């Protein structure tokens, strides 16, 4: 079957550093993709404009069913804007209206993790499950929840911000959101170095590492620091326990650079995950980091699901 026999959607995944734009078939296959630095020096309007130009460049004469846009939150899906994004230096970024005006296509805009769970359900490892939670453990920690045929969105599209689940009350250092005790503050790529520094102080050990992957490697190879791996496993176990009792999923998909490069973190976390409810199937994403982009396109084909 050739690609032209499928419907095709344009999709974009807006990150703090890079924006990825692609053409995605109805079966979830990405047929074209390009990546460029997210514009952060001009005006907020440069962001939707750069996406419209990229879509125009890669689509040419290919008819598109619509545009699906994913971005790290917080966002306001009713207004179609990014609302005070922490990683982009603009207060608000209008997305939906400028993209509709530039491309004359229907535009659907969702949080990247909410898009990603749809990508996993439609074209990834969560196919066939009733209730699915997608968890990314990367620079931050985020989640998307799918249940009974729909993605849970909440008031403004921010339901499933599991990175801000409280998981500890013994340390007082702040999470990236400014509050303390949150999962993301301890176990994300940005949080691990902060947690490690505080853990070393509490255990009277020298702290020379500042990068998450170096710290995890040290904790694996040096028995003096192996206790940190156990402390991190307890934090991740509490996070997973909260996810399981909050949503009662039959499948959890884990993704993101931290967990994908250290899959043992999942097995260690499961040792500390409560069994109040039965453990769901827990597995790593096989979509190579493309779940948000694929899911944004799936939102165009299945608007009733998101
Ligand atoms: Zn937080």
């Amino acid at each position: 079957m050739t690609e032209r026999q499928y419907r095709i959607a344009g999709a974009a995944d807006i990150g703090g550093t890079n924006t990825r734009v692609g053409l995605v078939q109805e079966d979830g296959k990405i047929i074209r993709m390009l990546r460029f630095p997210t514009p952060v020096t001009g005006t907020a309007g440069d962001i939707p404009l750069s996406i419209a130009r990229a879509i125009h460049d890669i689509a040419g004469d290919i008819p598109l069913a619509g545009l699906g846009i994913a971005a790290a939150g917080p966002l306001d899906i009713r207004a179609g804007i990014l609302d005070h994004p922490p990683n982009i230096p603009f207060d608000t970024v209008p997305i939906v209206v400028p993209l509709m005006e530039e491309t004359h296509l229907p535009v659907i805009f969702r949080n990247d993790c909410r898009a990603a769970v749809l990508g996993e359900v439609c074209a990834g490892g969560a196919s066939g499950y009733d209730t699915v939670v997608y968890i990314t453990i990367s620079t931050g920690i985020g989640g998307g929840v799918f249940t009974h045929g729909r993605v849970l969105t909440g008031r403004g599209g921010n339901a499933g911000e599991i990175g801000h689940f409280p998981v500890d009350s013994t340390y007082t250092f702040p999470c990236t959101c400014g509050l303390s005790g949150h999962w993301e503050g301890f176990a994300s790529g940005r949080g691990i170095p902060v947690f490690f520094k505080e853990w070393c102080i509490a255990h009277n050990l020298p702290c020379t590492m500042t990068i998450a992957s170096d710290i995890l490697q040290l904790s694996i190879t040096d028995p003096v620091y192996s206790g940190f791996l156990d402390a991190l496993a307890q934090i991740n176990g509490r996070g997973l326990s909260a996810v399981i009792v909050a949503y009662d999923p039959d499948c959890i998909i884990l993704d993101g650079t931290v967990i994908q490069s250290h899959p043992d973190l999942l097995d260690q976390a499961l040792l500390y995950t409560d069994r109040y409810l039965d453990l769901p199937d827990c597995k790593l994403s096989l979509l190579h980091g493309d779940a948000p982009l694929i899911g944004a396109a799936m939102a165009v084909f299945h608007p009733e699901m998101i």
Side-chain angles (χ1 to χ4, degrees):
M1 191 176 276
T2 68
E3 68 185 46
R4 297 304 292 266
Q5 288 172 276
Y6 286 102
R7 290 194 295 164
I8 295 168
D13 181 10
I14 306 169
T17 309
N18 289 306
T19 294
R20 293 183 311 148
V21 170
L23 301 186
V24 184
Q25 292 184 165
E26 205 168 0
D27 65 349
K29 183 180 174 194
I30 298 171
I31 56 170
R32 292 181 192 169
M33 183 161 74
L34 61 85
R35 178 195 306 255
F36 53 88
T38 301
V40 290
T41 53
T43 67
D46 292 342
I47 291 178
L49 199 59
S50 68
I51 293 170
R53 283 186 185 135
I55 290 287
H56 178 77
D57 288 349
I58 59 174
D61 295 332
I62 297 174
L64 300 179
L67 282 185
I69 312 294
L75 44 79
D76 184 337
I77 57 172
R78 291 166 301 190
I81 62 170
L82 268 170
D83 189 9
H84 295 85
N87 300 324
I88 294 173
F90 303 114
D91 284 347
T92 58
V93 183
I95 298 291
V96 172
V97 170
L99 273 172
M100 286 173 67
E101 288 174 357
E102 286 289 331
T103 65
H104 306 290
L105 289 167
V107 176
I108 191 157
F109 178 47
R110 289 294 184 269
N111 169 282
D112 51 1
C113 291
R114 262 114 273 166
V117 75
L118 189 63
E120 293 289 350
V121 167
C122 293
S127 169
Y129 288 96
D130 176 77
T131 298
V132 180
V133 181
Y134 170 91
I135 300 175
T136 181
I137 304 183
S138 187
T139 310
I141 294 180
V145 182
F146 179 91
T147 186
H148 294 131
R150 271 198 77 108
V151 174
L152 191 64
T153 53
R155 246 184 325 182
N158 302 302
E161 286 291 357
I162 61 174
H164 306 282
F165 275 176
V167 293
D168 181 84
S169 59
T170 54
Y171 291 87
T172 56
F173 60 83
C175 173
T176 50
C177 70
L179 303 176
S180 65
H182 291 178
W183 192 6
E184 175 169 302
F186 286 80
S188 65
R190 211 181 283 156
I192 285 171
V194 181
F195 180 28
F196 181 66
K197 184 177 168 207
E198 297 290 326
W199 183 88
C200 287
I201 291 169
H203 291 79
N204 226 357
L205 288 169
C207 173
T208 54
M209 303 270 181
T210 56
I211 296 170
S213 56
D214 294 344
I215 292 165
L216 293 173
Q217 199 55 40
L218 175 75
S219 308
I220 293 165
T221 53
D222 186 340
V224 172
Y225 291 92
S226 64
F228 177 72
L229 219 48
D230 197 56
L232 184 62
Q234 291 184 47
I235 292 289
N236 283 332
R238 288 180 203 140
L240 284 176
S241 300
V243 165
I244 291 167
V245 290
Y247 304 115
D248 192 14
D250 47 7
C251 176
I252 293 178
I253 300 271
L254 291 116
D255 201 4
T257 50
V258 172
I259 194 84
Q260 290 281 15
S261 51
H262 294 275
D264 287 353
L265 291 177
L266 172 58
D267 298 326
Q268 291 154 8
L270 290 175
L271 297 175
Y272 290 101
T273 302
D274 296 340
R275 299 307 201 261
Y276 175 71
L277 298 178
D278 287 342
L279 270 188
D281 290 345
C282 297
K283 44 186 163 180
L284 296 180
S285 172
L286 299 176
L287 294 179
H288 311 290
D290 292 329
L293 191 75
I294 294 170
M298 293 302 110
V300 172
F301 300 123
H302 305 287
E304 76 287 355
M305 294 170 82
I306 193 155

